[in-house]
């Protein structure tokens, strides 16, 4: 079952709000409104999404709080799918907002105003950046304590240089909070049937976390004809090769709703998660801290050189249920040399053991390549045209076992000294 009948009915109130899918010539809203969400095949498909019900102590506690009318905070962090890409309107039709509405309809009394929604999806970014953003974008610098945290990076983490260490660190950062939130791992999928579930799901098994897999729900039936048991086609599910349509986001929300219902019907587990065990991949970035222009003077010694300006042309995202966008990493340093001015480098002096640089990728020809020296040795080259659109790029600069003093110098490549380059911030582990 997908949960109480009321939550399905609540979804049906909002049908038909999506815009046409121009490249195909078929309205995405038609897919959504004419779909049979009550068929045995659909219910079976949603059931396959439940990869692991996991230890239920924390999720049942959150459900009980909701049923008693107490405040419950549901937080979501991930990539563009969590941002809501492909959903129209993005702030109300994303899987995140719809699963939040589903949770309210299933468990909250009255108007559900006691359930609060925090969404922090950023397109094109892996958990390597997510773990740096978590304190600011999910916990809002300590002002929010989520009861439920849903983590979705299965189609973004090919760019995670730590190959799962940052992902497990993010999971541990969330689950180790003093208020003991329920952490749910969500695995979305690309149109070519690919995701990184094989790398990331073992982290969930290791800590016995609830896990929901769109790959498990969808891929096998994608390959079948209607007569053989196909329920939803790729054309219906995908808005483009990466992101779901409104129908796809609805299916993701139904899958999370199925988990909520399954946990609600289960007997309470006797013990909470065992967090004493050694990490499966690594926990080296659990205590990462964001360093930017806002707090830099308190944490490090910096000579900005020609990186004196602040870039305002930034990647934007609709956070929470906002229909407006918020600029990401506004407290940055941008290189822009004045006429006849020497091209001075940016120098960061910091005691740390690990350091991640966050810089701006751009499609503008005004931006150029920077060279990065660590302790006087050229170690990396940061190309802002690697993906060639305005987004946030994470790059691992230092990864050592012990804390020591480091000097990081960022200077423009010789042929690019008249270009621009933006340091959005750093994530460091002291």
């Amino acid at each position: 079952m997908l949960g109480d009948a009321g939550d399905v009915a609540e979804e049906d109130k909002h049908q038909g709000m999506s815009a046409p899918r121009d490249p195909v010539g078929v309205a995405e809203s038609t897919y959504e409104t004419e779909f049979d969400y009550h068929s045995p095949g659909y219910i079976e498909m949603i059931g396959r999404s439940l990869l692991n019900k996991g230890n239920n102590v924390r999720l049942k506690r959150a459900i009980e709080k909701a049923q008693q009318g107490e405040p419950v905070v549901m937080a979501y962090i991930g990539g563009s799918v969590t941002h809501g890409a492909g959903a129209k309107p993005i702030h109300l039709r994303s899987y995140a907002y719809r699963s939040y509405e589903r949770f309210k309809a299933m468990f909250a009394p009255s108007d559900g105003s006691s359930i609060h929604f925090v969404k922090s999806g950023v397109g094109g970014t892996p958990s390597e950046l997510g773990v740096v953003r978590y304190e600011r974008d999910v916990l809002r610098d300590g002002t929010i304590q989520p009861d439920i945290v849903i983590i979705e990076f299965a189609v973004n983490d090919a760019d995670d240089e730590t190959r799962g260490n940052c992902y497990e660190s993010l999971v541990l950062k969330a689950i180790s909070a003093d208020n003991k939130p329920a952490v749910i791992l969500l695995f979305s999928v690309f149109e070519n049937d690919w995701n990184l579930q094989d790398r990331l799901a073992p982290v969930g098994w290791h800590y016995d976390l609830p896990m929901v897999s769109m790959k498990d729900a969808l891929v096998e039936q994608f390959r079948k004809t209607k007569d053989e048991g196909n329920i939803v086609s790729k054309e219906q599910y995908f808005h483009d090769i990466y992101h779901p349509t409104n129908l796809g986001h609805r299916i993701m929300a139904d899958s999370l709703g199925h988990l909520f219902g399954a946990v609600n019907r289960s007997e309470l587990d006797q013990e909470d998660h065992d967090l004493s065990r050694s990490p499966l991949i690594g926990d080296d970035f659990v205590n990462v801290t964001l360093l930017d222009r806002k707090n830099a003077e308190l944490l490090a010694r910096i000579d900005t050189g020609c990186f004196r300006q602040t870039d305002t042309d930034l990647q934007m995202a609709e956070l929470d249920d906002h229909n407006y966008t918020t600029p990401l990493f506004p407290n940055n340093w941008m290189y822009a040399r004045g006429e006849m001015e020497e091209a001075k480098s940016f120098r960061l002096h910091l005691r740390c053991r690990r350091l991640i640089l966050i810089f701006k990728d751009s499609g503008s020809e005004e931006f150029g390549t920077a060279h990065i020296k660590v302790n006087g040795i050229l170690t990396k080259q940061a190309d802002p045209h690697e993906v060639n659109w305005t987004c946030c790029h994470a790059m691992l600069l230092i990864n050592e076992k012990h804390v020591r003093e480091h000097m990081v110098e960022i200077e423009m490549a010789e042929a690019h000294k008249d270009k621009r380059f933006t340091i959005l911030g750093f994530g460091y582990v002291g």
Side-chain angles (χ1 to χ4, degrees):
M1 298 295 292
L2 300 182
D4 298 338
D7 60 298
V8 176
E10 183 66 22
E11 281 288 337
D12 292 340
K13 292 180 186 178
H14 302 287
Q15 301 293 351
M17 295 177 62
S18 59
R21 187 185 188 189
D22 297 330
V24 180
V26 177
E28 290 181 4
S29 56
T30 301
Y31 292 146
E32 190 177 12
T33 55
E34 296 183 356
F35 205 80
D36 185 358
Y37 302 100
H38 305 284
S39 71
Y42 183 78
I43 293 170
E44 180 183 354
M45 181 185 75
I46 296 299
R48 289 197 301 270
S49 71
L50 186 54
L51 180 62
N52 188 38
K53 190 161 56 177
N55 183 291
N56 66 25
V57 169
R58 299 186 179 194
L59 189 49
K60 286 185 78 71
R61 183 191 304 131
I63 290 171
E64 183 178 353
K65 285 180 66 176
Q67 291 169 331
Q68 294 176 352
E70 297 178 26
V72 171
V73 178
M74 300 182 69
Y76 299 74
I77 185 168
S80 56
V81 177
T82 295
H83 176 215
K88 302 174 185 179
I90 194 170
H91 66 298
L92 297 178
R93 306 302 283 163
S94 69
Y95 86 82
Y97 189 80
R98 295 173 82 159
S99 61
Y100 150 76
E101 285 198 314
R102 176 66 48 80
F103 186 89
K104 287 197 299 183
M106 292 174 71
F107 305 118
S110 186
D111 61 356
S113 59
S114 59
I115 314 300
H116 305 286
F117 179 64
V118 175
K119 183 189 74 174
S120 178
V122 175
T125 62
S127 57
E128 185 177 353
L129 183 61
V131 71
V132 179
R133 295 194 299 112
Y134 188 77
E135 180 74 29
R136 183 195 66 185
D137 293 350
V138 174
L139 303 185
R140 307 292 158 92
D141 295 322
T143 62
I144 289 176
Q145 290 188 319
D147 298 276
I148 300 171
V149 180
I150 296 171
I151 298 174
E152 180 270 321
F153 280 107
V155 292
N156 287 73
D157 264 14
D159 291 331
D160 171 21
E161 298 167 281
T162 70
R163 300 188 61 80
N165 194 312
C166 278
Y167 182 83
E168 185 170 6
S169 295
L170 173 59
V171 169
L172 286 169
K173 194 176 187 71
I175 203 171
S176 300
D178 291 342
N179 68 312
K180 298 184 177 180
V183 174
I184 298 168
L185 306 186
L186 175 62
F187 306 123
S188 48
V189 69
F190 279 164
E191 189 180 46
N192 65 358
D193 303 336
W194 177 89
N195 70 10
L196 279 170
Q197 186 172 313
D198 288 347
R199 177 200 292 176
L200 306 181
V203 173
W205 295 115
H206 189 64
Y207 301 106
D208 197 19
L209 299 176
M211 294 188 284
V212 172
S213 168
M214 304 320 300
K215 185 175 184 177
D216 284 22
L218 297 166
V219 169
E220 182 181 346
Q221 65 86 47
F222 276 151
R223 298 166 180 163
K224 296 179 179 179
T225 65
K226 292 295 182 183
D227 290 339
E228 294 170 336
N230 172 264
I231 304 301
V232 59
S233 68
K234 288 188 175 183
E235 182 185 58
Q236 291 172 309
Y237 185 85
F238 289 101
H239 172 78
D240 52 35
I241 62 174
Y242 304 120
H243 307 114
T245 58
N246 276 14
L247 173 59
H249 279 278
R250 161 79 189 254
I251 291 170
M252 293 182 71
D254 283 349
S255 298
L256 286 168
H258 176 69
L259 166 66
F260 299 152
V263 168
N264 185 47
R265 292 187 296 270
S266 300
E267 292 293 324
L268 178 66
D269 289 334
Q270 296 302 305
E271 297 181 356
D272 199 351
H273 299 279
D274 179 10
L275 301 182
S276 64
R277 57 181 56 196
S278 299
L280 182 70
I281 302 173
D283 60 355
D284 296 329
F285 296 87
V286 169
N287 296 317
V288 69
T289 298
L290 172 63
L291 185 156
D292 60 16
R293 188 189 284 267
K294 184 178 180 180
N295 63 0
E297 291 184 359
L298 302 174
L299 302 173
R301 181 163 55 90
I302 293 177
D303 179 0
T304 58
C306 288
F307 291 74
R308 293 187 299 265
Q309 296 190 22
T310 300
D311 196 340
T312 57
D313 181 21
L314 303 171
Q315 185 176 9
M316 310 285 282
E318 291 87 351
L319 302 178
D320 305 337
D321 59 353
H322 302 163
N323 63 354
Y324 58 86
T325 56
T326 297
L328 304 171
F329 296 97
N331 303 303
N332 56 69
W333 298 273
M334 183 173 71
Y335 172 93
R337 187 175 66 163
E339 290 186 19
M340 309 300 293
E341 183 181 12
E342 183 183 352
K344 295 180 180 178
S345 62
F346 177 99
R347 296 187 178 189
L348 168 70
H349 298 264
L350 178 69
R351 284 184 58 81
C352 66
R353 69 185 74 185
R354 296 180 176 88
L355 184 69
I356 295 170
L357 165 68
I358 307 160
F359 67 93
K360 173 184 165 179
D361 203 299
S362 175
S364 170
E365 294 183 358
E366 293 183 359
F367 282 77
T369 298
H371 290 163
I372 301 162
K373 296 178 181 178
V374 178
N375 302 322
I377 300 173
L378 180 63
T379 58
K380 292 286 180 76
Q381 176 173 288
D383 178 5
H385 298 291
E386 188 166 323
V387 296
N388 223 37
W389 58 280
T390 302
C391 63
C392 309
H393 196 113
M395 176 181 285
L396 184 62
L397 301 183
I398 299 169
N399 192 12
E400 299 178 354
K401 290 185 178 181
H402 303 291
V403 176
R404 65 186 178 102
E405 183 78 17
H406 291 283
M407 197 275 278
V408 175
E409 183 177 9
I410 302 176
E411 60 183 358
M412 300 304 293
E414 188 61 36
H416 294 221
K417 292 187 183 294
D418 292 326
K419 301 283 189 177
R420 296 174 183 264
F421 186 90
T422 301
I423 302 167
L424 296 173
F426 300 89
Y428 79 96
V429 180

